[in-house]
Amino acid sequence: QVQLVESGGGLVQDGGSLRISCVASGGPFVSYAVGWFRQAPGKERDFVAAISRSGGRTSYADSVKGRFTISRSNAENTVYLQMNSLKLEDTAAYYCAARLRSSDMITYLESRAVNYVYWGQGTQVTVSS
């Protein structure tokens, strides 16, 4: 099993940038694909981005494509989400999640929260006008 802890959330102005982190422990991090999801009050938990075991493949929701970048450092057991050009609608609690993969690939499976077993506690990102 693996434990995940997010950090780096906060208050940022519309158009600003923020970088959040997901640190993993207790499991073979190199064997996990990792995804970022977000959830606003009264809303469903939506897919944001995912990254393969080595970082060689990435996937993004249309709503964040071109603005957000997911990356990982397996040596540091950490996945990052760099968020640029933030909008009011990006306000949400952001969660990272991990699922075992037998190869360095991601598919549509990584875009669905139901396919993940391990989740962090979330970090709040609030964008103000």
Side-chain angles (χ1 to χ4, degrees):
Q1 62 181 38
V2 63
Q3 292 79 49
L4 306 172
V5 179
E6 303 95 334
S7 63
L11 179 65
V12 64
Q13 207 168 16
D14 184 21
S17 297
L18 201 64
R19 187 177 192 169
I20 56 177
S21 302
C22 173
V23 179
S25 62
F29 186 65
V30 69
S31 297
Y32 291 92
V34 177
W36 283 100
F37 294 78
R38 65 187 182 185
Q39 187 168 24
K43 303 284 188 176
E44 295 183 349
R45 187 167 296 188
D46 291 329
F47 171 71
V48 177
I51 191 165
S52 64
R53 288 164 38 144
S54 74
R57 295 186 63 181
T58 58
S59 180
Y60 298 91
D62 288 341
S63 60
V64 306
K65 195 171 299 181
R67 299 189 298 120
F68 290 11
T69 302
I70 188 171
S71 62
R72 70 189 292 165
S73 171
N74 287 344
E76 299 172 352
N77 292 339
T78 303
V79 171
Y80 303 95
L81 186 68
Q82 177 68 47
M83 301 179 288
N84 298 327
S85 301
L86 283 162
K87 305 174 180 179
L88 294 178
E89 53 262 42
D90 294 319
T91 295
Y94 283 72
Y95 300 86
C96 67
R99 63 188 302 270
L100 284 167
R101 271 289 193 181
S102 60
S103 63
D104 189 34
M105 66 178 294
I106 51 175
T107 69
Y108 74 95
L109 295 174
E110 273 69 35
S111 71
R112 299 189 64 212
V114 69
N115 293 319
Y116 291 82
V117 174
Y118 305 106
W119 291 85
Q121 85 289 348
T123 186
Q124 179 67 36
V125 173
T126 302
V127 184
S128 64
S129 61

